[in-house]
Amino acid sequence: KNEVEQSPQNLTAQEGEFITINCSYSVGISALHWLQQHPGGGIVSLFMLSSGKKKHGRLIATINIQEKHSSLHITASHPRDSAVYICAVYMDSNYQLIWGAGTKLIIKP
Amino acid sequence: NAGVTQTPKFQVLKTGQSMTLQCAQDMNHEYMSWYRQDPGMGLRLIHYSVGAGITDQGEVPNGYNVSRSTTEDFPLRLLSAAPSQTSVYFCASRPGQGHLEQYFGPGTRLTVT
């Protein structure tokens, strides 16, 4: 069983829809990292979370430490949001980073 | 700041050849890492460094060497390329202990034939 699991693996939606991507993990963590990888390949950091909720523009990330679960939401989705969204967790024992396999999001106009 | 830079962007090697992937950062970050990304899999850590002169193995170190002679540079050497090393390679850095947000280079797409 993977220690970090993302769902769904693939998601196609229409422009304007509310998007939710989920990340579940099975280890104790010190922080969770959401990243975005565009079709060109570059990886950029979106959020670093250790509790609660963070918002940046149309993106919202939440984490529930007790349930070992985090969600990334996109409001009013746009075709430029099309990318792979990656969840990674820092283990609290040694700060090792464990990566999810990513969720491929396609937003159609 | 240029951030994290990687060269080359693309490379084709024949089996058995050696080469060095370059990575540099101008943010004075202590921690640097090399990852490989294969289709359908999460990023996998190859080697990492917590400061100049200090390196350690990650999850998939076999076939790769690293060195960290300066804070800025962290080259990855493929000793004898194999088709299994066909992948996209990312270099990343972060400021240091307690600062967890990583900054990534643009990646190097390597094909070994």
Side-chain angles (χ1 to χ4, degrees):
Chain A
K1 182 180 187 299
N2 292 336
E3 290 166 309
V4 178
E5 293 198 347
Q6 289 185 236
S7 63
Q9 281 187 301
N10 295 283
L11 178 58
T12 300
Q14 290 296 131
E15 183 174 356
E17 286 188 36
F18 182 82
I19 303 299
T20 296
I21 297 170
N22 297 297
C23 177
S24 296
Y25 51 92
S26 58
V27 295
I29 71 166
S30 56
L32 183 143
H33 204 167
W34 280 105
L35 305 103
Q36 179 191 58
Q37 185 173 25
H38 272 287
I43 300 174
V44 296
S45 172
L46 297 175
F47 296 104
M48 182 73 71
L49 288 167
S50 55
S51 64
K53 174 179 171 178
K54 285 191 177 180
K55 184 176 190 289
H56 181 70
R58 294 180 296 104
L59 272 58
I60 304 165
T62 64
I63 188 167
N64 185 317
I65 297 292
Q66 287 74 29
E67 294 186 5
K68 292 186 161 55
H69 181 266
S70 176
S71 293
L72 178 68
H73 306 285
I74 305 174
T75 62
S77 59
H78 190 276
R80 65 175 174 266
D81 297 324
S82 298
V84 175
Y85 292 85
I86 304 171
C87 166
V89 300
Y90 277 99
M91 291 178 66
D92 60 10
S93 56
N94 59 9
Y95 287 104
Q96 180 185 351
L97 196 58
I98 305 174
W99 296 83
T103 294
K104 184 174 182 180
L105 174 66
I106 297 173
I107 303 295
K108 293 187 174 181
Chain B
N1 284 354
V4 181
T5 58
Q6 289 183 238
T7 55
K9 282 192 172 353
F10 301 94
Q11 183 70 48
V12 179
L13 290 178
K14 293 189 188 314
T15 298
Q17 287 185 315
S18 63
M19 80 158 294
T20 299
L21 307 185
Q22 301 292 343
C23 175
Q25 52 91 11
D26 61 359
M27 298 174 282
N28 202 32
H29 286 177
E30 286 186 45
Y31 287 19
M32 296 185 74
S33 305
W34 274 103
Y35 295 92
R36 59 177 289 171
Q37 185 179 42
D38 300 298
M41 301 180 71
L43 288 160
R44 291 186 292 169
L45 182 65
I46 304 171
H47 285 284
Y48 66 98
S49 168
V50 299
I54 306 169
T55 63
D56 206 346
Q57 296 181 351
E59 182 186 354
V60 288
N62 291 342
Y64 307 95
N65 270 357
V66 292
S67 60
R68 184 99 180 267
S69 55
T70 67
T71 300
E72 293 78 20
D73 299 298
F74 191 43
L76 178 73
R77 278 180 283 278
L78 278 70
L79 309 171
S80 177
S84 61
Q85 293 179 304
T86 293
S87 188
V88 181
Y89 291 84
F90 287 97
C91 178
S93 72
R94 62 183 175 97
Q97 190 171 1
H99 299 271
L100 302 180
E101 185 172 359
Q102 296 216 27
Y103 298 78
F104 282 82
T108 295
R109 186 173 295 273
L110 176 69
T111 302
V112 183
T113 61

